[in-house]
Amino acid sequence: MSSTMATPTVLLENTENQAILRLSPPIGGLAVRGTIRVPGDKSISHRALMLGALAQGTTEIEGLLIGEDPQSTAHCFRVMGVEISQLNPQHVVVQGLGLGNLQEPATVLDAGNSGTTLRLMLGILASHSGRFFTVTGDDSLRSRPMSRVVKPLHLMQAQIWGRQGNSLAPLAVQGQTLRPIDYTSPVASAQVKSCILLAGLLTPGSTSVTEPSLSRDHSERMLKAFGAEISVDPETHRVTVTGPTQLQGQKVVVPGDISSAAFWLVAASILPGSELLLENVGVNPTRTGILEALEHMQANITHENERMVAGEPVADLRVRYAQLQACTIAGDILPRLIDEVPILAVAAVFAQGTTVIRDAAELRVKESDRLTAMAQTLQKMGAAVTELPDGLEITGGTGLQGAEVDSGMDHRIAMSLAIAALGAQGTTAIGHAEAAAISYPNFVKTLAAIT
Ligand code: S3P
């Protein structure tokens, strides 16, 4: 007796040391349809937990991302004496200790895979006078550059030591009263900017930071909402915080993460017959580079129900299939779509013409070297991709073939490859797919629901 069972489109196989995601789109192609509520914004979630921990009184957070990265932040602050209720997306309560009152931890603070946790926390720890801290992270984080925050903190007279000229974690920090600086950052990085601003909260005087182009401004918005003395010069992008200041606990509503929505925006754009409604997506202009890039590529995306929620702009995004056209992505837009370059590379494979992405060297020091990771995996699937020192050149129209690829334990690579696989012929197996849980724990479930 023979049975004919259709191959499931989405299959997650948990082995002893990794999860393998197998995607087998049906012959003739696949459309994605439905309504999706993406998880809370990762950047805003970290900041809500941190400012809640530093503020006086209670902070209530609605919509927190329950991913591994915010769990790392919550863990570190709990170790320093902050009471944080069990994390859930509906309601999280942080009992703030008041600025300067973090306890010296009796153990190493482990930021896991999270660069935002480690870099922002360094500014906070360095300014906590009289306490000693040690911080570390996973294999990936221990290889990522920390000098970009250690250097300005040293200029503030912070005492921080680590491997390779104090540039790699594990790092040791002897907290003390710092001196204010007026720092010009060589990189447009919200992590660098936020680290310095957080260090400035406890520092007497005005601490300023200027970046070459504008990076995400969630810290500025949230610090203002918590009552910090902060000003922004829109012409020069110079942000100044005056300390010492006190923060007051707030109610924070975290919008959906546009960086998570990006996977679905591209999925629906490249798969004929698709239509998705993405509800409650944060559309802060410092994060919407992905929407501008896809618009240049002639994607069909409409904004519905635009509104302000707790100081951040939010909208529902409707996306329908459209034949994409190649474009050039370079310059000031990069910081506003920095985490979306891997999924844009997938979009480019399905666009007509040659897409060029430049000025994206920062991708080499993310959770993995994302330029090499995307070039090598998409090449393996049959795409015409050339790796440039600071970007990618991708000629669309080749189609993709299913292949065995690996996320390299990078969440955004895992999810970008999953979307590429939906548009490929045959089965794609993605190794270390569990990495998606860093920022999107329900990613595979959602994928299965819309295919
Ligand atoms: C983040 C800033 C960005 C981004 C990261 C989150 C933040 O990093 O890539 O995922 O929350 O501040 P850089 O500041 O290094 O560009």
Side-chain angles (χ1 to χ4, degrees), residues 42-43 47 116 119-120 148 188-192 194 216 338-339 362 366-367 412:
K42 182 158 80 67
S43 293
R47 287 159 173 80
T116 308
R119 293 201 179 111
L120 268 58
R148 55 183 56 201
S189 158
Q191 293 179 354
V192 172
S194 304
R216 63 194 68 193
I338 193 74
D339 292 335
E362 271 293 299
K366 294 294 178 186
E367 286 82 329
R412 300 206 195 279

Side-chain angles (χ1 to χ4, degrees), residues 156-433:
M156 296 178 82
Q157 313 267 292
Q159 297 197 44
I160 304 173
W161 303 268
R163 295 179 296 133
Q164 296 201 11
N166 309 316
S167 68
L168 293 179
L171 295 164
V173 183
Q174 174 62 60
Q176 59 174 37
T177 304
L178 302 179
R179 300 222 188 125
I181 51 167
D182 186 350
Y183 188 65
T184 300
S185 176
V187 280
S189 158
Q191 293 179 354
V192 172
K193 174 173 63 178
S194 304
C195 167
I196 296 167
L197 294 175
L198 289 169
L201 291 175
L202 273 171
T203 303
S206 290
T207 297
S208 299
V209 53
T210 307
E211 47 185 351
S213 54
L214 189 59
S215 66
R216 63 194 68 193
D217 67 356
H218 305 300
S219 295
E220 294 92 305
R221 286 174 190 248
M222 205 182 288
L223 279 167
K224 196 170 256 172
F226 274 71
E229 209 181 314
I230 182 166
S231 62
V232 182
D233 181 336
E235 300 272 303
T236 58
H237 310 312
R238 184 167 177 254
V239 189
T240 303
V241 69
T242 304
T245 187
Q246 195 50 263
L247 305 177
Q248 289 299 329
Q250 296 295 315
K251 166 99 198 240
V252 180
V253 184
V254 182
D257 198 328
I258 191 166
S259 297
S260 298
F263 301 107
W264 311 125
L265 290 172
V266 171
S269 296
I270 64 172
L271 299 169
S274 297
E275 177 169 346
L276 293 172
L277 178 66
L278 311 173
E279 290 179 335
N280 192 43
V281 181
V283 287
N284 177 318
T286 61
R287 297 286 298 283
T288 48
I290 175 71
L291 295 174
E292 286 163 46
L294 286 172
E295 257 159 45
H296 275 131
M297 296 176 89
Q298 295 180 23
N300 182 347
I301 300 171
T302 51
H303 294 224
E304 299 175 6
N305 197 11
E306 286 176 301
R307 57 217 186 257
M308 285 299 286
V309 180
E312 289 278 349
V314 172
D316 301 335
L317 302 176
R318 189 179 295 279
V319 52
R320 298 183 178 93
Y321 167 78
Q323 174 57 61
L324 298 180
Q325 303 299 321
C327 75
T328 296
I329 298 164
D332 283 359
I333 196 171
L334 258 298
R336 298 191 294 112
L337 50 66
I338 193 74
D339 292 335
E340 287 68 73
V341 171
I343 191 62
L344 270 172
V346 175
V349 174
F350 292 85
Q352 282 176 340
T354 298
T355 294
V356 181
I357 302 171
R358 305 292 315 233
D359 304 321
E362 271 293 299
L363 266 84
R364 296 203 182 277
V365 291
K366 294 294 178 186
E367 286 82 329
S368 69
D369 179 338
R370 289 180 171 164
L371 295 180
T372 298
M374 287 314 292
Q376 289 183 352
T377 50
L378 289 175
Q379 278 162 2
K380 201 167 178 197
M381 296 176 79
V385 184
T386 307
E387 189 177 337
L388 309 172
D390 64 343
L392 296 169
E393 194 174 288
I394 302 162
T395 300
T398 51
L400 290 177
Q401 300 296 325
E404 277 189 26
V405 289
D406 198 279
S407 77
M409 276 311 285
D410 183 325
H411 55 129
R412 300 206 195 279
I413 301 298
M415 293 185 276
S416 299
L417 292 176
I419 303 307
L422 295 183
Q425 281 185 353
T427 299
T428 298
I430 302 165
H432 294 102

Side-chain angles (χ1 to χ4, degrees), residues 21-200:
L21 178 60
R22 287 182 208 284
L23 293 160
S24 310
I27 296 163
L30 177 82
V32 287
R33 298 191 144 263
T35 299
I36 297 173
R37 223 176 156 83
V38 293
D41 187 278
K42 182 158 80 67
S43 293
I44 298 176
S45 293
H46 285 300
R47 287 159 173 80
L49 288 167
M50 288 187 191
L51 294 197
L54 298 176
Q56 273 178 338
T58 303
T59 287
E60 291 183 50
I61 311 169
E62 190 187 311
L64 190 87
L65 167 66
I66 315 303
E68 288 172 18
D69 271 10
Q71 301 266 13
S72 294
T73 293
H75 170 74
C76 290
F77 282 86
R78 282 180 179 135
V79 169
M80 293 188 283
V82 181
E83 255 182 61
I84 302 173
S85 68
Q86 210 184 342
L87 301 192
N88 76 64
Q90 277 76 44
H91 192 227
V92 173
V93 181
V94 184
Q95 300 294 350
L97 294 178
L99 206 59
N101 294 329
L102 291 176
Q103 293 166 14
E104 183 174 90
T107 187
V108 177
L109 298 169
D110 187 353
N113 190 246
S114 175
T116 308
T117 306
L118 188 44
R119 293 201 179 111
L120 268 58
M121 200 165 64
L122 276 172
I124 296 170
L125 305 182
S127 55
H128 266 71
S129 164
R131 275 144 284 185
F132 185 79
F133 309 89
T134 47
V135 294
T136 193
D138 70 6
D139 290 353
S140 154
L141 191 52
R142 280 184 280 106
S143 68
R144 294 179 65 187
M146 291 302 139
S147 37
R148 55 183 56 201
V149 288
V150 171
K151 196 176 152 223
L153 289 173
H154 274 162
L155 291 173
M156 296 178 82
Q157 313 267 292
Q159 297 197 44
I160 304 173
W161 303 268
R163 295 179 296 133
Q164 296 201 11
N166 309 316
S167 68
L168 293 179
L171 295 164
V173 183
Q174 174 62 60
Q176 59 174 37
T177 304
L178 302 179
R179 300 222 188 125
I181 51 167
D182 186 350
Y183 188 65
T184 300
S185 176
V187 280
S189 158
Q191 293 179 354
V192 172
K193 174 173 63 178
S194 304
C195 167
I196 296 167
L197 294 175
L198 289 169

